[in-house]
Amino acid sequence: MNVALVFDRLFLLPFLNGLALAVLLALLGCYIRLREEWLAALGLAQAAAAGVVLGGMFLEPVLLVALVAALLAAATKALVGRTGNDAYAVMILFGWSVALLAAANSVHGDDLSRALVQGQLYFTGVPHLEGLGVLLLLAVAILPWISRRLLLGRFFPDTFRANGLGTPHHDLVFDLLVAVTLAFAATAIGVFAAFALVFVPPWIAFRFAPGWKKTLVGSVAVAVACYMVAFAAAIALDQPFGPVLVAVLLVASLARLLRRHH
Amino acid sequence: MSDALLEVRDLVAGYREPVVGPLSFSVRAGEIVGLTGPNGAGKSTILRAIIGSVRVFSGSIVRRPGTRVMVQPQRPFRLPEMPITGHELLHLTHAKDRDAPAALQPLLDPRVDRLSGGQFQLLQVWAALGSPCDLVYLDEPTNNMDPGTVEVLGDLLLAWREERGVLVVTHEHEFLDRVATTIVEVGA
């Protein structure tokens, strides 16, 4: 075990990238859970992963191809509409199949697909930091506007249509924000770690928080705390980051047992 | 056009085939118009046609330009774990919690998943009714309510009817007899 490595300047940039992702995914995860679309998050992350491996095949910048793949998946989701989990399950299986087939038929595919399973946070750099910085600013700017509309769309779903607003823009904006964030996340921390940050912190916060604002704060707090523990543990114990983060989040989720659901 | 907020003329609506109509009625400010009839008569289909989510085969639906609408759904959305308080629900529609009737005040602080089905339904109706809109559509608002809560709902509608027009879809004749200014029988 090498605890001193945790504080090495070498890991500062990856630490900040992961921190930004923890905040963004936990925040967006609350709205994804409210929309009952958490399976879509896994579908989008898997699509981004397929894009990464395909990008590796054709020597494109992998982050760019991951973004394009996630946006295509988001567009497909918008086209099929709210058809429930069936469409998202197909998206997951399609992404997984494409990713592994592409990996089997390319020089670097195996390395890339392993990185997407285990997470390669320690190799992320300035491009991720710049992209995530823009995403954080965007989220801070639009969430106050979009939050009320997303909630209104769930509790009073016909109100937009009844007022002549056929396809509300906020749905599209939110889907794009989620798709782009998941593309960054899949390339930085791996598919399942990204999915775990979308799913687990809101799952815990929904059980305990007394209101919506505290749900958002609680979800981010859980994600950041688990991320910091996982970041330090993975370096100190020389373990792959993605599985360590998922394990820490799962341990944290045991907190749900502390309070019975009413 | 008349001074109606909503004017429905000879409306025939349905899905692949027409299932209801022709039907005509209007809703003005201060009116509570009830659409009633037996199960399967097409009451909710009429409402969906007005909202724009089912097919209109003939007739016309005209909403006065600038009219703001709130729609309370027949099946309220509530996850098994729903960390949103009554206050937050009212803020979504800009309904003022300080104006909420006394019967609703105890429902504002808890999370909505801690309320009974009838209490949550009442809160949703108030969120629609207390919002700064001109026209409210209520789809089976008495669902999940015990007789006491239905009484409170009736009081709410009557107290706030001058503020806006209300279109209520329900199979509860007794409730409509108490609150409605006009009753339209569907499938009669």
Side-chain angles (χ1 to χ4, degrees):
Chain A
M1 185 186 289
N2 188 348
V3 178
L5 260 183
V6 175
F7 303 101
D8 194 310
R9 284 181 61 84
L10 190 67
F11 292 114
L12 179 62
L13 210 52
F15 174 78
L16 292 176
N17 284 334
L19 190 63
L21 278 171
V23 172
L24 271 169
L25 292 174
L27 208 52
L28 296 176
C30 292
Y31 294 93
I32 291 171
R33 185 168 190 82
L34 180 84
R35 289 154 63 102
E36 297 175 279
E37 289 188 336
W38 48 264
L39 200 55
L42 183 55
L44 290 170
Q46 189 63 61
V52 169
V53 183
L54 284 172
M57 272 181 91
F58 300 110
L59 301 175
E60 296 289 334
V62 289
L63 183 56
L64 184 65
V65 185
L67 279 171
V68 172
L71 288 173
L72 280 175
T76 307
K77 174 179 169 292
L79 281 177
V80 298
R82 284 183 172 274
T83 53
N85 288 334
D86 294 350
Y88 307 143
V90 169
M91 202 188 288
I92 292 164
L93 295 174
F94 180 76
W96 179 80
S97 173
V98 168
L100 290 195
L101 284 174
N105 291 284
S106 70
V107 181
H108 304 296
D110 274 343
D111 293 338
L112 279 172
S113 58
R114 195 178 313 115
L116 288 166
V117 171
Q118 298 185 353
Q120 52 177 4
L121 180 61
Y122 308 127
F123 301 104
T124 58
V126 174
H128 268 89
L129 190 66
E130 288 174 345
L132 288 168
V134 171
L135 274 179
L136 261 179
L137 286 177
L138 255 178
V140 167
I142 67 172
L143 269 181
W145 169 77
I146 213 170
S147 179
R148 179 179 163 268
R149 285 163 179 78
L150 289 172
L151 291 165
L152 200 60
R154 286 305 268 153
F155 285 101
F156 301 94
D158 291 322
T159 295
F160 292 102
R161 187 190 285 269
N163 284 286
L165 304 167
T167 309
H169 298 310
H170 62 259
D171 276 335
L172 185 63
V173 170
F174 181 75
D175 282 345
L176 289 177
L177 186 61
V178 170
V180 173
T181 306
L182 281 168
F184 274 96
T187 55
I189 59 177
V191 172
F192 276 90
F195 173 61
L197 275 174
V198 166
F199 179 76
V200 177
W203 191 40
I204 298 169
F206 268 53
R207 168 68 57 103
F208 292 102
W212 186 246
K213 283 177 187 163
K214 287 179 179 164
T215 301
L216 300 178
V217 173
S219 178
V220 170
V222 168
V224 167
C226 290
Y227 166 72
M228 292 172 88
V229 170
F231 189 87
I235 291 176
L237 302 170
D238 192 22
Q239 295 294 308
F241 174 74
V244 172
L245 176 61
V246 172
V248 172
L249 284 166
L250 287 176
V251 170
S253 73
L254 295 176
R256 282 178 54 87
L257 299 174
L258 296 175
R259 178 183 283 182
R260 276 185 56 202
H261 176 54
H262 291 250
Chain B
M1 189 180 165
S2 67
D3 60 344
L5 296 166
L6 176 72
E7 184 103 37
V8 174
R9 284 260 166 260
D10 302 319
L11 176 64
V12 177
Y15 303 89
R16 286 184 183 171
E17 302 288 332
V19 298
V20 64
L23 203 68
S24 299
F25 61 89
S26 60
V27 184
R28 291 172 174 76
E31 285 185 340
I32 299 173
V33 176
L35 290 182
T36 191
N39 285 339
K43 307 183 291 292
S44 290
T45 303
I46 291 287
L47 188 57
R48 288 194 200 110
I50 292 168
I51 289 167
S53 59
V54 301
R55 188 172 165 191
V56 172
F57 287 85
S58 61
S60 65
I61 301 164
V62 181
R63 189 160 46 95
R64 194 169 71 187
T67 302
R68 294 164 300 175
V69 182
M70 273 299 298
V71 185
Q72 178 259 324
Q74 185 179 131
R75 291 187 189 84
F77 161 71
R78 191 166 56 153
L79 296 172
E81 289 182 340
M82 189 83 265
I84 288 182
T85 65
H87 287 293
E88 287 170 329
L89 188 72
L90 297 192
H91 288 168
L92 291 181
T93 63
H94 298 304
K96 293 198 168 54
D97 28 11
R98 67 170 181 275
D99 290 341
L104 280 169
Q105 291 296 340
L107 311 182
L108 299 181
D109 283 331
R111 289 165 46 138
V112 296
D113 55 359
R114 309 279 155 82
L115 305 179
S116 71
Q119 287 174 323
F120 181 55
Q121 181 91 347
L122 189 64
L123 194 63
Q124 276 223 312
V125 171
W126 169 252
L129 212 56
S131 72
C133 65
D134 308 295
L135 188 56
V136 180
Y137 303 152
L138 303 177
D139 196 358
E140 299 287 359
T142 58
N143 277 358
N144 307 313
M145 289 184 179
D146 57 36
T149 315
V150 172
E151 184 81 13
V152 174
L153 173 66
D155 293 343
L156 276 185
L157 281 170
L158 291 170
W160 286 80
R161 78 176 217 199
E162 297 304 323
E163 305 284 327
R164 52 190 54 82
V166 181
L167 179 63
V168 187
V169 172
T170 181
H171 60 278
E172 298 274 357
H173 278 277
E174 204 176 315
F175 175 69
L176 276 189
D177 287 342
R178 181 179 169 221
V179 300
T181 52
T182 308
I183 295 177
V184 179
E185 288 284 344
V186 179

